[in-house]
Amino acid sequence: MGSLHVLVMPFPAQGHVIPFMELSQNLVKHGFKVTFVNTDFSQERIVKSFTGKDNVGDQIRLVSIPDGLEAWEDRNDMGKSCEGIVRVMPKKLEELMQEINGRDDNKITCVIADGNMGWALEVAEKMGIKRAVFLPAAAAMMVLAYRMQKLIDDGIVDNDGTPIKNQNFQLSPNMPPINTANLPWACMGDSTAQRLVSKYLLRNSISITVADWLICNSTYDLEPEAFTLAQTLLPVGPLLASNRQANTAGHFWPEDSTCLEWLDQQPACSVIYVAFGSFTVFDKAQFRNWL
């Protein structure tokens, strides 16, 4: 009998691909065979990041499928990206999985899909394959995203995910308040983009109900209340390359080490690092105002 064969499917964004690559490398370490599915657009950038990374590319098979957008279209437009993903990728993923199982002695045993790619679980269910959801971000993000219908029912947002009014609410009495202006889908472009993203997330919240397992890149100690609200969610994090004494793989862009000399000159514990994600672009004025 060959190795158990896992197909992993991250959302095509930097903060999702890197944790999925960490998860995949840990699976390989435990004897699994891994097929890593990128979008065509992301594939070339990710392959380049493997240079000198301990033969990661030899351990994990990288494949890609279209994301529904033309090469020239803006993938930072989350509404358009979500629309293209749902329109094209489910059929392409099913075709890919059928092709793999038709020629590979190690047929796909399980699909591990990003929490933002819930439709992939529907494809796996249709093919009779075990299914897991992996949340690369905080457990609280999953609790929020998958309670969208409750937010609608409670009159906090309308059917398009738009906040009814500016207000604070709590997912749990022991969790920090959330302002409706800061809801993730309410901060993505114009009203059309927000409507498409919220519709996409609402579909995901239904799709993950067919998952056999829910796992998250977090720990009980960091988010006890979030895990209390999602009792079937299992923590497997934090997944960091440093835990394996290895290099991170899956970067979209070359690593920029020019800041290291400046960092080395700063007093210990005097620098705060804030990651706004690969979709956020600041101009100089915004950056100065934020400081």
Side-chain angles (χ1 to χ4, degrees):
M1 180 178 177
S3 301
L4 294 176
H5 187 174
V6 176
L7 181 143
V8 301
M9 183 89 219
F11 187 81
Q14 183 67 98
H16 296 248
V17 170
I18 289 178
F20 259 86
M21 192 61 67
E22 281 302 310
L23 176 66
S24 297
Q25 291 185 79
N26 277 282
L27 289 171
V28 167
K29 183 179 177 181
H30 285 84
F32 286 82
K33 177 178 181 178
V34 177
T35 295
F36 197 102
V37 185
N38 295 305
T39 62
D40 291 340
F41 185 79
S42 299
Q43 177 85 334
E44 183 178 353
R45 295 185 290 176
I46 293 169
V47 168
K48 287 180 179 178
S49 79
F50 281 166
T51 303
K53 301 291 187 181
D54 300 324
N55 299 319
V56 175
D58 296 333
Q59 300 169 352
I60 298 171
R61 182 184 176 218
L62 297 176
V63 298
S64 66
I65 56 178
D67 62 4
L69 300 183
E70 299 295 334
W72 50 266
E73 291 188 276
D74 182 12
R75 284 160 176 81
N76 282 344
D77 184 332
M78 286 299 295
K80 184 179 292 185
S81 290
C82 289
E83 193 176 36
I85 285 171
V86 172
R87 185 179 70 252
V88 171
M89 292 188 77
K91 182 175 184 295
K92 292 297 182 181
L93 179 63
E94 183 175 355
E95 291 172 354
L96 172 66
M97 292 170 64
Q98 288 173 340
E99 177 191 346
I100 292 171
N101 283 347
R103 58 175 167 74
D104 199 319
D105 291 336
N106 292 107
K107 298 187 186 303
I108 298 169
T109 310
C110 180
V111 170
I112 304 179
D114 194 301
N116 289 328
M117 302 291 262
W119 52 265
L121 302 175
E122 298 171 358
V123 175
E125 182 187 36
K126 178 181 177 181
M127 298 179 67
I129 296 172
K130 291 290 186 179
R131 305 161 297 278
V133 171
F134 174 55
L135 287 305
M141 282 293 294
M142 190 217 76
V143 173
L144 174 63
Y146 298 127
R147 291 201 170 197
M148 283 190 66
Q149 186 59 56
K150 188 174 188 310
L151 297 182
I152 294 172
D153 295 340
D154 291 346
I156 294 173
V157 299
D158 64 19
N159 289 329
D160 291 333
T162 303
I164 303 296
K165 63 180 180 179
N166 190 298
Q167 61 178 310
N168 289 331
F169 68 94
Q170 289 177 282
L171 296 173
S172 164
N174 294 321
M175 293 180 70
I178 301 171
N179 189 275
T180 51
N182 296 325
L183 290 169
W185 58 87
C187 303
M188 296 183 179
D190 58 19
S191 58
T192 299
Q194 292 175 23
R195 175 177 55 79
L196 291 171
V197 171
S198 63
K199 180 180 178 182
Y200 182 84
L201 292 175
L202 190 57
R203 172 179 172 168
N204 272 329
S205 68
I206 297 171
S207 298
I208 69 160
T209 59
V210 302
D212 296 293
W213 304 280
L214 297 175
I215 57 178
C216 180
N217 188 17
S218 187
T219 69
Y220 286 122
D221 290 342
L222 287 173
E223 306 179 85
E225 290 300 324
F227 282 104
T228 297
L229 291 176
Q231 295 186 6
T232 58
L233 184 61
L234 302 174
V236 296
L239 292 170
L240 303 170
S242 57
N243 291 342
R244 297 182 295 106
Q245 296 183 336
N247 295 318
T248 300
H251 289 282
F252 286 176
W253 301 277
E255 294 181 27
D256 183 358
S257 60
T258 56
C259 66
L260 295 181
E261 182 179 352
W262 178 85
L263 283 170
D264 287 341
Q265 297 171 7
Q266 309 311 309
C269 303
S270 67
V271 177
I272 297 175
Y273 172 76
V274 181
F276 291 97
S278 56
F279 287 98
T280 304
V281 178
F282 284 98
D283 60 33
K284 290 183 178 180
Q286 289 175 312
F287 184 71
R288 290 195 185 100
N289 288 339
W290 182 76
L291 291 176

